[in-house]
Amino acid sequence: MKLLRFGPAGQEKPGVLDTQGRVRDLSAVVSDIAGSVLLPEGLARLRGLELDDLPLVEGVPQQDLRLGPCVGQVGKCICIGLNYADHAAESGMPVPPEPVVFNKWTSALCGPDDVVQIPRGSLKTDWEVELAVVIGQGGRYISENEAMNHVAGYCVMNDVSERDFQLNRSGTWDKGKGCDTFGPLGPWLVTADEVPDPHNLSLWLEVDGQRMQDGNTATMVYKVPFLIGYLSQFMSLQPGDVISTGTPPGVGMGHKPPVFLRAGQTMRLSVQGLGQQLQKVLQA
């Protein structure tokens, strides 16, 4: 299934993409794509629906029908840094002996095609296409062998980052990761049964039509089962939590000389089988 949320910002309704690429309204079935809906029994209930019997939503998704973040009421958005060896190299940093973990504030999450704002005072706003994992069944101290049973599905994340805030403003990376609009998520949550191998997905990002990133999740240092088990040592994972798994090389900071986003530019990005995002960049 491809689950989504449609409508104006802050007023999104739950939906599902039918076999014709049209949006069907799930409002009479569930209140949101969130929480217990993402548990195995919640997803099984949705799989049992006859999509053609659900109300058809007017408009073409991502054209004249806005999509919001594909998961609602996200409790935690946990990000993994330097998880591709070649990206670590372009950043001038060693591959970490354990995953680098940081937060993206949930107020940063936005729709896949919403405007991305360059923060006031920013000179180094950057892009990062990533595979995001959405937790279904929660838990603590999850074994690596059981970890994939805790995945509801996958989606595209643009981990937009302000490098000066991140690296030069003292403290943790979080200052440069959680600005408003820095977390386009979606267009849809593709349930895990439709993604047989999350470790063999191409992912890419373009700025104004120029291919900047072109990688594959096969080169991740720490794979999804390990990350889930690792993170669950330090926090309980809960339904709807998002784990963004890192980015391949080609970020602006890694270019020589570095290049960063400017107002008026457009980003387009995708992870294989999970849809595309398109964002206009504006000055806050």
Side-chain angles (χ1 to χ4, degrees):
M1 291 183 295
K2 292 181 175 64
L3 301 173
L4 54 88
R5 301 168 70 247
F6 66 93
Q11 303 175 45
E12 292 93 348
K13 296 180 179 180
V16 60
L17 204 67
D18 69 17
T19 56
Q20 309 300 315
R22 302 170 300 185
V23 174
R24 299 284 179 163
D25 192 343
L26 286 172
S27 297
V29 183
V30 295
S31 61
D32 202 352
I33 306 300
S36 61
V37 173
L38 299 170
L39 292 170
E41 55 268 31
L43 295 178
R45 179 189 178 202
L46 295 182
R47 285 192 192 95
L49 298 173
E50 181 57 59
L51 297 187
D52 289 343
D53 293 341
L54 297 170
L56 183 64
V57 179
E58 290 187 10
V60 177
Q62 299 188 275
Q63 293 185 26
D64 54 356
L65 177 62
R66 176 189 176 271
L67 300 184
C70 58
V71 183
Q73 305 171 47
V74 174
K76 297 188 288 295
C77 184
I78 311 156
C79 300
I80 307 299
L82 304 176
N83 198 28
Y84 288 70
D86 35 11
H87 170 57
E90 73 171 353
S91 302
M93 301 178 187
V95 174
E98 295 187 33
V100 171
V101 179
F102 60 90
N103 294 302
K104 187 176 287 284
W105 316 124
T106 56
S107 54
L109 300 180
C110 60
D113 309 304
D114 287 350
V115 164
V116 166
Q117 296 183 12
I118 296 176
R120 295 177 184 177
S122 165
L123 297 174
K124 296 182 179 180
T125 297
D126 205 346
W127 56 82
E128 293 190 7
V129 60
E130 305 201 359
L131 169 70
V133 180
V134 178
I135 295 296
Q137 183 70 53
R140 296 175 68 198
Y141 305 114
I142 299 167
S143 73
E144 192 171 340
N145 289 337
E146 292 293 325
M148 298 303 276
N149 295 328
H150 292 258
V151 176
Y154 304 89
C155 58
V156 183
M157 164 77 87
N158 189 352
D159 176 20
V160 185
S161 308
E162 210 298 333
R163 301 302 187 186
D164 187 53
F165 297 179
Q166 174 188 352
L167 301 172
N168 301 323
R169 295 290 294 271
S170 188
T172 65
W173 286 10
D174 305 317
K175 292 177 184 177
K177 294 288 190 171
C179 302
D180 286 4
T181 75
F182 270 25
L185 191 68
W188 24 77
L189 170 63
V190 181
T191 51
D193 57 300
E194 294 193 6
V195 185
D197 185 4
H199 306 109
N200 187 26
L201 302 175
S202 61
L203 64 172
W204 53 264
L205 181 145
E206 296 175 351
V207 178
D208 287 347
Q210 180 180 355
R211 186 66 58 101
M212 296 295 193
Q213 292 184 273
D214 205 347
N216 192 289
T217 58
T219 65
M220 283 197 297
V221 178
Y222 298 107
K223 309 298 186 185
V224 172
F226 179 87
L227 290 173
I228 291 172
Y230 181 84
L231 292 171
S232 73
Q233 297 177 50
F234 306 105
M235 67 195 84
S236 61
L237 296 177
Q238 298 160 336
D241 283 350
V242 175
I243 303 170
S244 203
T245 59
T247 198
V251 301
M253 179 177 64
H255 283 71
K256 300 189 186 331
V259 292
F260 296 108
L261 291 168
R262 303 185 308 274
Q265 292 187 307
T266 299
M267 291 181 284
R268 189 167 70 98
L269 57 146
S270 179
V271 178
Q272 182 181 350
L274 305 184
Q276 289 190 22
Q277 300 184 355
L278 182 71
Q279 296 119 23
K280 189 82 169 179
V281 180
L282 296 180
Q283 182 66 52

